Amino acid sequence: GLYDSGLDNGVIAHEYAHGISIRLTGSPATSNCLSNAEQMGEGWSDWFAMMMTLDTATAGTQARGIGNYLLGQNASGGGLRPLPYSTDMHINGHTYDFIRQASIPHGVGYVWGLMLWDMTWALMDAHGVGQGYDMAIQLVLEGMKLQSCNPGFVDARNAILAADRALYGASNQCLLWSSFARRGLGYSASQGSPESVTDGQEAFDLPPDYLILPEATEVVLCKGAQQQVAVVLRSCIGSDRIQLLAKGLPTGLHAAFSPATAQLPQDTVYLQLWAEEDLPSGYYCLTIDAVGGHGFFTE
């Protein structure tokens, strides 16, 4: 028989979602920011289609096809993509490197949709179906707003990580890194040029320990005054006791951390700053060194 794509809810949601990704990427003023080879428009649309038709009585490990009705298949059919979506690596083991051989744009986008599907179920497992679902939607939408024009996979990954820092106080960083890393978009992954799908390099590693500083880290100090800045330390790798040191202070400015050490995988310490004398007006920079752990980078 004939199958009308207009009666396939997944197809309708997929097509409407193109309007979201096209208009949010690079600002609503342009619709020309998803024209590069490594763009993920089809993946976002597949993901929205699955989110709009999500049956929480099922599990992420089950196979989900795109366009099953259109193809005359039942719910367990393979759909239009190279493999059905699933968080089970035995059902779908594709990783970032698959974009080298995938069709452009549908096959390339499908790999991104697969990563977002993993992320969604990880969030729902961690926070409950309702809250996790809402978080996933917000992270993807905010990520689109934050990413560059004509993004590659690493650009889009970083935008979602930034969205989590902005929306949820970086509470999901390790979960997000783990979701992306299992599909080859780990800390060391390289996308190369977003105009090419063959020059990237997948990696499955988690980031080293990291420091999260508040958005406004400029501190105004006068003689005798004291200020403090919260420094959040996190690790996706292991547990260690870390000591922080402030270096590069001008004469007359003092700093200390309270408490003196932090305990990973997550802790907050406060950088106390005080001036014993008036300093010439201007900007002064200091360096925070972390002793211990698995190496650090600053968010």
Side-chain angles (χ1 to χ4, degrees):
L2 297 176
Y3 296 90
D4 186 347
S5 60
L7 300 178
D8 189 321
N9 287 340
V11 171
I12 298 301
H14 172 107
E15 300 304 339
Y16 271 109
H18 279 301
I20 298 173
S21 61
I22 287 173
R23 284 162 179 80
L24 290 186
T25 301
S27 88
T30 178
S31 59
N32 297 318
C33 279
L34 290 178
S35 59
N36 56 306
E38 199 175 314
Q39 61 95 357
M40 294 77 72
E42 298 297 335
W44 281 304
S45 284
D46 279 2
W47 178 79
F48 271 113
M50 292 188 290
M51 294 295 278
M52 295 299 103
T53 58
L54 180 65
D55 181 357
T56 56
T58 61
T61 53
Q62 293 181 264
R64 282 290 308 272
I66 295 293
N68 290 33
Y69 171 81
L70 173 63
L71 297 175
Q73 300 174 351
N74 60 27
S76 62
L80 290 164
R81 303 298 176 241
L83 288 173
Y85 286 96
S86 173
T87 61
D88 187 339
M89 298 293 281
H90 294 97
I91 295 175
N92 190 324
H94 282 152
T95 61
Y96 182 39
D97 267 4
F98 185 73
I99 69 169
R100 294 172 176 268
Q101 65 192 73
S103 64
I104 299 173
H106 291 87
V108 173
Y110 141 83
V111 177
W112 178 245
L114 191 57
M115 294 177 180
L116 293 183
W117 196 232
D118 281 4
M119 179 196 80
T120 298
W121 283 93
L123 286 166
M124 292 196 296
D125 287 344
H127 299 286
V129 171
Q131 185 179 4
Y133 179 97
D134 290 344
M135 281 182 162
I137 292 284
Q138 292 301 320
L139 288 172
V140 169
L141 290 175
E142 194 67 19
M144 289 179 186
K145 300 174 191 176
L146 294 174
Q147 68 197 2
S148 58
C149 187
N150 292 324
F153 275 55
V154 170
D155 296 324
R157 178 204 69 190
N158 291 347
I160 287 178
L161 288 161
D164 177 60
R165 294 194 294 274
L167 294 174
Y168 304 116
S171 61
N172 299 295
Q173 294 288 287
C174 289
L175 178 151
L176 296 173
W177 276 115
S178 296
S179 296
F180 289 120
R182 77 191 297 258
R183 296 286 179 179
L185 206 61
Y187 180 72
S188 300
S190 169
Q191 71 184 23
S193 168
E195 302 298 332
S196 171
V197 297
T198 60
D199 62 349
Q201 181 62 53
E202 68 179 16
F204 300 87
D205 58 330
L206 296 175
D209 306 331
Y210 55 100
L211 309 179
I212 302 174
L213 299 174
E215 289 296 326
T217 54
E218 180 180 311
V219 177
V220 178
L221 275 178
C222 299
K223 181 180 179 180
Q226 180 172 313
Q227 296 281 0
Q228 71 176 20
V229 177
V231 179
V232 179
L233 298 93
R234 289 196 174 153
S235 174
C236 300
I237 301 174
S239 299
D240 290 287
R241 184 160 287 280
I242 303 299
Q243 181 181 12
L244 295 182
L245 303 171
K247 296 182 176 180
L249 298 169
T251 302
L253 180 63
H254 299 273
F257 286 93
S258 177
T261 61
Q263 180 64 56
L264 296 178
Q266 180 173 331
D267 205 352
T268 300
V269 299
Y270 293 91
L271 172 61
Q272 312 281 353
L273 296 165
W274 70 94
E276 287 186 348
E277 58 189 64
D278 284 327
L279 299 172
S281 178
Y283 289 93
Y284 297 88
C285 298
L286 60 86
T287 300
I288 298 176
D289 276 358
V291 180
H294 299 85
F296 274 84
F297 73 102
T298 301
E299 287 289 304

